[in-house]
Amino acid sequence: MPLVSLFTVVVALAAASAIGVAWRRRNGRFTAQTPGEVPMLRELGWQPGTPLTLLQFSSAFCAPCRATRALCEQAAKTVDGVRHVEVDAESHLDAVRELGIMRTPTVLLVDAAGTIVRRASGQPTRAQLVGAITAVLGEFTTAQ
């Protein structure tokens, strides 16, 4: 009987480890989205004509949300054509449902036409955010 118990523990640990590794690899990673305008973006603070808007969904007691806010604000200050808008997920539940926001922080990259072009669920790294901005804007210039 102890051998069966040991086997069960080893299988459980292996499964938990695999899930943890998959979670870490996916956290904060930007993925391309299918094109299509989302009308509710104006209600959330997106403005037409802005080359790129970092639309961040946050919640009140989310520590990764604060770090993501600082990262997005810095990008908006240093990269021409980038604007950061933070949305309280709890106050905009209809938008959360419609956009499929499953956790906070979630950052949506919205182009000038109102199309969500990239999405990251979880706290992105600086490299992930810069890579996504570069992918959308191409070569960008820094604000002076």
Side-chain angles (χ1 to χ4, degrees):
M1 194 63 156
L3 189 59
V4 173
S5 298
L6 178 63
F7 180 73
T8 304
V9 169
V10 169
V11 169
L13 287 174
S17 295
I19 291 169
V21 167
W23 181 268
R24 291 239 341 138
R25 294 191 117 220
R26 187 170 174 209
N27 190 41
R29 183 181 214 170
F30 283 91
T31 57
Q33 299 295 292
T34 55
E37 186 177 337
V38 181
M40 76 167 26
L41 293 177
R42 286 181 195 242
E43 298 169 22
L44 299 174
W46 169 78
Q47 296 174 346
T50 302
L52 184 64
T53 302
L54 307 175
L55 189 63
Q56 176 188 345
F57 283 83
S58 299
S59 52
F61 298 105
C62 169
C65 295
R66 291 189 290 275
T68 301
R69 176 187 320 122
L71 186 63
C72 290
E73 285 176 350
Q74 183 182 20
K77 288 178 186 173
T78 58
V79 180
D80 286 334
V82 174
R83 181 171 177 259
H84 175 243
V85 175
E86 189 170 11
V87 176
D88 178 28
E90 296 167 17
S91 299
H92 295 88
L93 292 177
D94 55 337
V96 167
R97 281 188 214 93
E98 184 173 329
L99 296 171
I101 307 297
M102 301 301 284
R103 63 188 274 212
T104 58
T106 293
V107 180
L108 306 177
L109 275 63
V110 184
D111 68 7
T115 302
I116 299 170
V117 292
R118 297 273 191 281
R119 164 192 290 254
S121 182
Q123 181 182 345
T125 63
R126 183 177 316 279
Q128 289 170 327
L129 183 60
V130 169
I133 291 171
T134 302
V136 174
L137 293 180
E139 291 296 318
F140 55 82
T141 58
T142 57
Q144 300 298 332

